[in-house]
Amino acid sequence: MTSPAAPRSATVRAPAKVNLALRVGPPDLETGYHPLATVFHAVDLCDEVTVRRARTMSLEVTGSFTEGVPTDHTNLAWRAVEELRELHGRTCGLRRPRPVAITIDKQVPVAGGMAGGSADAAAALLAANEVWGNEFPMGDLRALAADLGADVPFGLTGGNALGLGRGDEVSTVLARGELHWVFCVSDQGLSTPAVYREFDRLNGWDQTPTPETLEAWEATPEPPEELLQALRTGDPLAVAEHLQNDLQPAAISLQPSLQDTLDAGTEVGAVAGIVSGSGPTVALLAESREHAIDVSVGMAALRPGVQVFTASGPAPGARVVERRD
């Protein structure tokens, strides 16, 4: 059921992210999940998701990055909407709301380590909640987001945040100023599960633990306190000293050209470079917006096969930008 005051459609903008630090522990022996301690940073490169009332569920993808994005129930945004419909049925004492049509304007690279799919799911949750009468507060949406995927709650939160557990235990981080980035997008994606498998192989965590190694297997990664302190200064040079990604060696192992991109970033004067999440997007940190433009021009010349664009952060989380009655 839909409230008479609810709009017929809602459009939500949700940001991409870069992990300023990503510390990864060994896989849990029962679930296989890796415990994380990560610092999320949202940037103003965004997807827009529109949800409108319809006779049947559907999903359409437009924009710069459409290749490889599913348009059926396997898409995380579709799953988010279906989960919200089920929540209505369980908790509101009403039948499930009417179906909706979902349109994703895709500007965040696919399989690039920037959580574009998770951002879409967060945006779809917020947009569908609007169209179905805004029955659920943000706390309920965050709980549902955590069930959908580790990065989805941050899509709702945005800004700078510390992620623990699987990355879904999100708390806001105090920070000053802006960070300016140049993102270099490989023309080949990387599978997140494949990167984690390579990470386990490189660390010997693809083997059965022994009594001698069990203590290391049970270790939990600690929050990156030095990076958190650097963010509070607002100084990009201080932040640059503490960028960290435990998955970077695995991503480079699977796609060695990423090292060439990182080396090119150093050559053109970026203050630091890091593989974003599980890759293969490389994030280069600049001193200012003007410096980011200079770095992007240099990268376009040195790495002509890599798509280059600039962005800044922190950016807000998913937010409604349009409602139509």
Side-chain angles (χ1 to χ4, degrees):
M1 185 175 293
T2 302
S3 166
R8 293 192 61 83
S9 73
T11 299
V12 172
R13 185 173 296 153
K17 62 84 180 167
V18 59
N19 298 81
L20 303 182
L22 180 53
R23 294 180 172 178
V24 184
D28 183 272
L29 294 176
E30 293 184 1
T31 66
Y33 285 117
H34 295 73
L36 306 177
T38 185
V39 176
F40 295 113
H41 174 76
V43 297
D44 57 5
L45 174 69
C46 299
D47 282 351
E48 285 192 356
V49 177
T50 299
V51 171
R52 67 182 186 278
R53 300 181 210 171
R55 293 181 180 273
T56 59
M57 284 285 297
S58 64
L59 191 150
E60 179 184 10
V61 182
T62 63
S64 302
F65 297 98
T66 60
E67 187 175 352
V69 181
T71 57
D72 59 14
H73 67 279
T74 62
N75 188 294
L76 195 58
W78 183 307
R79 285 175 50 200
V81 170
E82 286 288 14
E83 290 293 331
L84 188 62
R85 290 185 78 200
E86 293 295 333
L87 186 61
H88 266 268
R90 294 195 304 270
T91 63
C92 294
L94 304 170
R95 63 182 175 84
R96 294 197 311 168
R98 298 173 184 172
V100 292
I102 306 165
T103 302
I104 301 174
D105 180 19
K106 200 90 185 94
Q107 302 301 325
V108 179
V110 179
M114 300 185 73
S118 295
D120 296 343
L125 277 178
L126 194 57
N129 195 45
E130 287 283 324
V131 169
W132 290 334
N134 213 16
E135 296 283 351
F136 297 103
M138 184 59 72
D140 290 345
L141 296 183
R142 287 197 179 102
L144 188 55
D147 290 337
L148 288 164
D151 289 339
V152 182
F154 179 69
L156 293 170
T157 303
N160 297 298
L162 176 65
L164 300 176
R166 290 192 297 135
D168 56 344
E169 301 170 18
V170 177
S171 57
T172 301
V173 167
L174 295 177
R176 296 176 59 191
E178 279 190 316
L179 296 177
H180 301 281
W181 300 90
V182 176
F183 290 101
C184 305
V185 183
S186 169
D187 59 359
Q188 294 180 315
L190 268 180
S191 159
T192 298
V195 173
Y196 272 98
R197 285 194 298 271
E198 182 67 1
F199 171 79
D200 288 343
R201 187 188 70 81
L202 292 175
N203 287 278
W205 290 338
D206 57 345
Q207 308 294 322
T208 303
T210 66
E212 292 76 18
T213 62
L214 188 58
E215 183 177 351
W217 273 78
E218 294 176 344
T220 300
E222 295 292 329
E225 294 296 340
E226 291 180 326
L227 173 63
L228 297 176
Q229 292 175 11
L231 284 170
R232 289 193 285 271
T233 71
D235 181 1
L237 298 180
V239 172
E241 292 181 9
H242 302 293
L243 296 180
Q244 174 189 357
N245 182 358
D246 286 353
L247 295 181
Q248 183 164 304
I252 292 173
S253 176
L254 295 175
Q255 196 171 124
S257 62
L258 294 178
Q259 187 61 59
D260 297 332
T261 301
L262 289 165
D263 292 343
T266 300
E267 186 173 344
V268 300
V271 296
I274 192 170
V275 172
S276 180
S278 59
T281 299
V282 167
L284 302 175
L285 182 58
E287 294 187 50
S288 64
R289 192 180 303 274
E290 294 74 19
H291 184 217
I293 294 172
D294 291 342
V295 170
S296 69
V297 171
M299 291 301 294
L302 285 183
R303 301 288 288 159
V306 173
Q307 188 170 356
V308 177
F309 53 88
T310 61
S312 300
R319 62 203 185 279
V320 178
V321 295
E322 185 177 51
R323 297 176 181 86
R324 291 190 176 182
D325 297 328

